[in-house]
Amino acid sequence: MVAIAPTQLVYQRPESLSDTPTHYCPGCTHGVAHRLVAEVLDEMNVRESTIGVAPVGCSVFAYNYFDCDFVEAAHGRAPAMATGIKRVLPDRVVFTYQGDGDLASIGMAEIVHAAARGENITVVFINNAIYGMTGGQMAPTTLPGQKTTSSPGGRDVEQMGFPIRMSEMLSSLDGTGYVVRRSLHDPKNIRLAKKAIRLAFETQVRGLGFSMVELLSSCPTNWGLTPLEALRWIEDHMVPVYPLQDFKVSPAVAEIRV
Amino acid sequence: MVAIAPTQLVYQRPESLSDTPTHYCPGCTHGVAHRLVAEVLDEMNVRESTIGVAPVGCSVFAYNYFDCDFVEAAHGRAPAMATGIKRVLPDRVVFTYQGDGDLASIGMAEIVHAAARGENITVVFINNAIYGMTGGQMAPTTLPGQKTTSSPGGRDVEQMGFPIRMSEMLSSLDGTGYVVRRSLHDPKNIRLAKKAIRLAFETQVRGLGFSMVELLSSCPTNWGLTPLEALRWIEDHMVPVYPLQDFKVSPAVAEIRV
Amino acid sequence: MARELWKGNEAMAEAAVRAGVQAYFGYPITPQTEVLEYMSKRLPELGRTFLQAESELAAINMVYGAACTGVRVMSSSSSPGVSLMMEGMSYIAGTEIPAVLIDVVRGGPGLGNIAPSQGDYNQIVHGGGHGDYHPIVLAPSSVQEAIDLTVLAFDLAEKYRLIVIVLADGSIGQMMEPAELPPMRPLRTEYPEWSVRGAQGRERRILSSIYIDPIDEEVMNYRLMRQWSEIEANEIRYKQYFLDDAEYVVIGFGTAGRVALSAVRAARAEGIRVGLFRPIGLSPFPYAQIEALTEQAKAILVVEMNAGQMLDDVLRAVKGRVPVEFYGRMGGIMPFPDEIEAEMQRIIQVPPVLNGDPRKKWLQRFGKVIHAE
Amino acid sequence: MARELWKGNEAMAEAAVRAGVQAYFGYPITPQTEVLEYMSKRLPELGRTFLQAESELAAINMVYGAACTGVRVMSSSSSPGVSLMMEGMSYIAGTEIPAVLIDVVRGGPGLGNIAPSQGDYNQIVHGGGHGDYHPIVLAPSSVQEAIDLTVLAFDLAEKYRLIVIVLADGSIGQMMEPAELPPMRPLRTEYPEWSVRGAQGRERRILSSIYIDPIDEEVMNYRLMRQWSEIEANEIRYKQYFLDDAEYVVIGFGTAGRVALSAVRAARAEGIRVGLFRPIGLSPFPYAQIEALTEQAKAILVVEMNAGQMLDDVLRAVKGRVPVEFYGRMGGIMPFPDEIEAEMQRIIQVPPVLNGDPRKKWLQRFGKVIHAE
Amino acid sequence: MQNEIIIAGFGGQGVLFAGQVLAYAALDEGREVTWIPSYGPEMRGGTANCTVIISDEEIGSPLVRNPKAAIVLNLPSLEKYEPMITAGGVLVANSSLINRCPERSDISTVFLPANDIAESLGNKRLMNMVALGALLELMPVLSIQAIEKALDNHLPERHKRLLPVNYQALRRGAEFAAQQAVLAAIA
Amino acid sequence: MQNEIIIAGFGGQGVLFAGQVLAYAALDEGREVTWIPSYGPEMRGGTANCTVIISDEEIGSPLVRNPKAAIVLNLPSLEKYEPMITAGGVLVANSSLINRCPERSDISTVFLPANDIAESLGNKRLMNMVALGALLELMPVLSIQAIEKALDNHLPERHKRLLPVNYQALRRGAEFAAQQAVLAAIA
Amino acid sequence: MPVKGWIEVNPLYCKGCELCVSACPQDVISLDMEHLTPKGYHPAYLVMDGCTGCGICALVCPEAALTVYREVPQRAARAVV
Amino acid sequence: MPVKGWIEVNPLYCKGCELCVSACPQDVISLDMEHLTPKGYHPAYLVMDGCTGCGICALVCPEAALTVYREVPQRAARAVV
Ligand SMILES: Cc1ncc(C[n+]2csc(CCOP(=O)(O)OP(=O)(O)O)c2C)c(N)n1
Ligand SMILES: Cc1ncc(C[n+]2csc(CCOP(=O)(O)OP(=O)(O)O)c2C)c(N)n1
Ligand code: SF4
Ligand code: SF4
Ligand code: SF4
Ligand code: SF4
């Protein structure tokens, strides 16, 4: 008889993902963000006590892809809805998953106040510099000069305003415990993004205040690029405008070891 | 016949104030803020080209007290309304006058986006740490521990959130040209406040972007203090939490000489 | 419990507490603010959730979130604030979860003023956000009724998984009257099978108002409409005064209804055979009951604190069978009983005709009343 | 100008441009986004104002501000976005200034879906924010009509100083049809005597919706109501098809109306004497015209892409004189002509009775149509 | 049998509280009662008023155009409400702040220096109780005792020590009204 | 006289554009026409379709349950629309992506390898024009020339250079359909 | 010898808040308990000589109720004339 | 001698976006032009030997379509067993 070399499982689809295939365009890094969140829920073993809040945006169907309880918020109001849930169920893990139109445009008041209140929720903020679901209009995060279907001549900052750096802005609020920006454009950054997501959820379970991870993400479809080109575009054009940094790590959070 | 010593007019009521007496409580520094704005409109000789936007709050009737064109906005939406006006009349001077509930609570999205867009408007922001008109409920700017009719036990920051420092937060946005905080609690600070208001309007007429002057102001009625005590309270309790500083003076604005 | 003197707003707040409200989210606005202020003191005492939201828009979405967990939750506001809740209300309806809202109506449109009004009837009863759904709407005319209907609101909201709105007005909110509160109900410890509280040892649950395939949306809409037919059958509420032998019928809800009661009493004292029909439930609306009144009534007088919003629903019920006349005060003015009595006298002296639009006729007369011309 | 193939949304946008719209403020939402996208390209070319607002809430308040300066200004959105505009609309009404809004309705309630629907009828025609006021509402059924009504909307808004809403649906917005655009009108150079543009050598002007004293608010409300009576007299719009000898009448607006037209033609081809009444103005509503139809009609069939919202207004007009039946599709589904024709056949075979609620009867039948039970 | 009383004056003169005391007393006596205030910002500086209706049956309108009685603590209130009172009704006017006499002869009137009497009791905030006492003398819808009981039951703890002087105020008002009535009779 | 055509396939197969070309041609010919697409996110990845109605009088419903003709470029579309076509109608199916034959015998059918023909022309995106050509052969609601004129008038400038090959595609489709018809006749 | 100044208080606006009273460096302003303004407040007034016309009262007045004058010292006067 | 590894691609999820293809350090993944997934995409697959089971493909895969295995070197193996 022949000796069979024992094998080891290096990676498999996380349990916290349901087995529904996503509707995202091929190569869209929304999927990577989903996967990382699911891996963290697995590692922290909180899937059964987690409630997710989906936004209105391409990730509107996020609730189909995670294997935990989920609600679907009105456009921009996810932080308010999450607040309502967390206030009556303080021992549950509550997170919102929001795009840049949802969080930084129509939902500005709700995210700022959730942060200022130090709501003990975690926000996964997908910054893809565009409105994906509605077909590529300008977002508050659209880069200067970037052409979109509602800034056909390119974003003229004098007329259409300047990109809003949400992480920088929110980190000025006392209620925030952990606010950082990461990117999903290559393996190294994906690893860092996952660490950050883990820390954000740890911040919440320890009751250390509002936590948010802003993720630079791709929209190949509306950027008119291939998935690979889109990753390059993040690196070449978005990272310079949206530096990958820790903007707020409260002392208590800094002590967390995972 | 006797020689009469010639006399000199040291101060008189500014022309840009109408002759309607205000409805403000005795000693409320809303009135001082009104007066300073009116003096600046006089000095810059822009009364006839100025359009004011009144908020919903104790200053809801501001339009009665200024002798210039005025509109009355929905609660918190003054910056949006001002944007609508300024965009079609770019050569007019457009300012909003807003309280802390109006600007920092319900109107958060509109003020942040007006600032991010670099809307060429001037915002006079009255921070009195409370909702005056509705009878003294908690504002986003209410101090930690401060008792209000909706935080009867004092503001518990863990439950009700932390004071929001609007000037600090907005100054992180690229669209802002001039963002400072001043106070109305004594002659020296009133003089500094007026200088700031002047500079804010100068910023606008030069098209240098969004300008805002945050003014620490009294609410003797809802603080339950005499007008004089209320001024002390600003100095002793508000100034430490809301430092009187320049948070954003764009290079171009820094060069303005008046 | 003994009768005590209660201010309407505080009475409704305490009634909600007794009914087991677990969380309140709201924003100050006159003439409703006492509800929020009362809750800010009372709920923390009881270890329940009070939060002053950054706006009505946030408040209704916080209510939406909390309601998804299966607890009893509410907000309260007044006209402009309620307008900001329309999207959220539509989402709650589309998600088929229970919630309670108190609207203490003030004069409008726009910022208007803070005086008592019934100008939100259309927005609350007929409008109320986009899409096909109906909220249940209850209109108290006294502090006691405000208490009873607030408690009922929570029960109905839960029974039918929809929004129930208590439509009061500034005078109900600000008035003090003797009233009795129900005993304190225990908070629920078991939660509905749809509630989202974490998938502990069970399949995950999703609460959403999306039905991206119109086929599914239509089935959902159909479900809502079937349920609404059931509600129309079971949840009609009204009160009748002196109607047995009435030849003339006054119809008014809430404060307008109780003011009309004084007028009807005065007219009865003069031997006029007039009665009062006061709808308590505005949605569903007592169409059948009003239609039935057309068999005894020579004429119907509708009285409202608006420009005739419920009037249209009364006209639908009356089907042109008897003359309908209208008398309203607008913009925050409460009618005095003598105004309504005068209208009755007028109707008796000059019997009204069937044709013509009651609102237009009223406007003709009304110009003089307010010296607008 | 020659006929060209236009997509409804872009046609309405260009029509607004031709009508002299000076500024557009809006926010993306399917199925309306092409209006915004078109404006983002077109208006800057012309040196006019386009701004993508941070939300519909901001957009309507930007419109409010711009409207105060006396220029022609508009926004556009779809159901959930329109719900967020309710407070702003009430303020605009309370300030008595002109503004135009296009609502390209989608399936609801809540997030629902993006398919064509008429589910906003109640919110737009009857609801529409707090307080006593009415917007003028125009409902196109083709791209050409969408163009014509958009232009008309600006003229009416200005004439009466109120909000005019063009109530379209997803299919009107997305469909392409040949249509002709009006010539470009010059932008206005003179501004109304109420407009706020700086008190240059004149008394200051104030635009506000506050009337803190109910007496004043009532006078203002009265003014609005008097004006509305005038509008009810002057601004009734509808189109009639094959009605001269019709024994059966179908009533439907917008897309439902044009689908009904196909059904009516088919029925006529089979010799059935049926006609179509298509309201174009939904507010004010053609009550008198519909009441008049009861003299010739054996029965009326109301067809909508909702659960029977206009139906209630038809019932008010019909006053129970002839049987009314209802057929609706909900949640974003467009009926096919054959469904409506089948309903007509049914009505002819089994003449409907007067009593009973048409909506309930429909629900009974409809359950089978969608296999919901 | 229904009695309507309007109490009006400057904000801060305690008109709302005086009305509430009446309402509490009526409640304790098992009567039907409504109390409805003017509310909102116009109270700031401006005038305040409340309407109290006491009845034996369910009360309809909480407002009436023509009340049976009115307590007016300042001039604007006198001018607004004197003409409204039903014939045979009662008017209590505060001569301390009103520099002209009431005019109507078809109602019984007390014109008393409420502030001065209150100050003589060492606390001018008691003027509302003085006026209330005077009203009840002319319109015994409730007994002074009932009002005292109401005060006892409903005055916030921190003010309980003021009970005796509140009683005094009521009685002084009543006495003054009684005397004036006598004088009126003699004259 | 009204003709309804449904064109359906994967997003990206150019079904919406093919419909628009038909509509433009109808417009240029002075006919009444409506073009209505399926719209929204479901287009992402999923299938797209549009309905074109060409008529001589004002068009009522822009949608019909039973169209006179259908062009189906993938299997799901075949399954959805084949049963819908009115008897005597026309079906054009893309055999390049559909691995089963159409079943109905009461309609005239063309089963043509649109992708392959297009690729043979050097550009597989032309498959929609190939199919359109085939349709018009069996249902001459508009002439090929009219379509060519429409392409000429409405193809965006940057694509004008592709006009000739588009014409070719139309004709190749038409020819294929003609042959198949002949074969069918013989068989 | 200090400049001589004086103030006028407009009773239409003054609400007797006393902010000018406490702000006045010369301590020469106080409320007039003898009179009531149309709005029912005791207005501020100059109780005694000593006003230098520094204008600080006007600076703190929330109602813009104050007008401040100053006698021009002779030298300056010429300049003025 | 490098560790030996391999991947499984779940055709239910793979959308042929090629991100794994370009991320693979060993360059051993490519799209399978012979097959279509149920959703109509060409799925990724292992074209040749050389996969070390590093898992980078799985790290970049937006669809979590990949499972990665590795043969345990004998020493380690004992540890595992
Ligand atoms: C009130 C409201 N306004 C607008 C919309 C339309 N809408 C849906 S998603 C979206 C923006 C999505 O962009 P983003 O948040 O950046 O997410 P992405 O799609 O890019 O992931 C908009 C405007 C809506 N559904 N509701
Ligand atoms: C939509 C809406 N919500 C609430 C209100 C009630 N309201 C009026 S003013 C106000 C707050 C005023 O406080 P602030 O802005 O701080 O101004 P202040 O009165 O203190 O000067 C509120 C909540 C309203 N008018 N409209
Ligand atoms: S549109 Fe953009 S953001 Fe949306 S799924 Fe496609 S690639 Fe992702
Ligand atoms: S309530 Fe406060 S803020 Fe308002 S006027 Fe009075 S003192 Fe000023
Ligand atoms: S500061 Fe002005 S308002 Fe106050 S007392 Fe002096 S003058 Fe009067
Ligand atoms: S990255 Fe994932 S989805 Fe993309 S090709 Fe590789 S396995 Fe398929």
Side-chain angles (χ1 to χ4, degrees), chain A residues 163-170 181 214 241-243, chain B residues 172 174:
Chain A
I164 299 182
R165 299 188 186 82
M166 287 306 298
S167 294
E168 285 84 333
M169 192 179 90
L170 293 182
R181 183 184 291 116
E214 175 174 350
V241 179
Y242 298 106
Chain B
S172 81
D174 294 347

Side-chain angles (χ1 to χ4, degrees), chain C residues 26-82:
Chain C
Y27 189 75
I29 182 168
T30 313
Q32 161 277 158
T33 303
E34 294 84 1
V35 178
L36 172 130
E37 290 176 338
Y38 187 91
M39 290 300 200
S40 74
K41 193 166 177 314
R42 187 81 163 106
L43 290 180
E45 281 170 8
L46 296 166
R48 306 187 197 174
T49 299
F50 165 84
L51 185 60
Q52 180 175 321
E54 57 268 35
S55 69
E56 294 84 354
L57 189 49
I60 193 69
N61 283 286
M62 290 173 182
V63 165
Y64 185 20
C68 288
T69 69
V71 301
R72 292 193 156 190
V73 54
M74 72 175 288
S75 185
S76 59
S77 188
S78 179
S79 312
V82 170

Side-chain angles (χ1 to χ4, degrees), chain B residues 31-43:
Chain B
V32 177
H34 281 34
R35 213 192 63 231
L36 298 183
V37 170
E39 291 173 7
V40 166
L41 296 183
D42 283 1
E43 291 170 10

Side-chain angles (χ1 to χ4, degrees), chain G residues 29-40:
Chain G
I29 310 178
S30 116
L31 294 196
D32 176 352
M33 290 310 177
E34 301 310 301
H35 299 86
L36 279 180
T37 68
K39 282 197 151 198

Side-chain angles (χ1 to χ4, degrees), chain B residues 54-56 72-78 81 102, chain D residues 61 64 87-88 91:
Chain B
V56 179
E72 210 297 315
H75 190 32
R77 318 305 169 196
M81 203 174 182
D102 192 77
Chain D
N61 284 286
Y64 185 20
E87 189 204 23
Y91 269 75

Side-chain angles (χ1 to χ4, degrees), chain F residues 69-72 78 82 85 89-93 102 107-111 138:
Chain F
I71 296 176
V72 295
L78 175 72
E82 182 179 15
I85 299 166
V90 173
L91 170 65
V92 175
I107 57 176
S108 30
T109 305
V110 193
F111 195 50
L138 300 201

Side-chain angles (χ1 to χ4, degrees), chain D residues 114 116 176 178 258 262 265 338, chain F residues 33 35 39 41 58 60-61 65:
Chain D
I114 59 178
M176 288 180 95
R258 86 181 268 170
S262 298
R265 282 217 193 94
D338 57 5
Chain F
V33 61
W35 170 93
Y39 59 88
E58 177 185 357
S61 176
R65 187 190 307 276

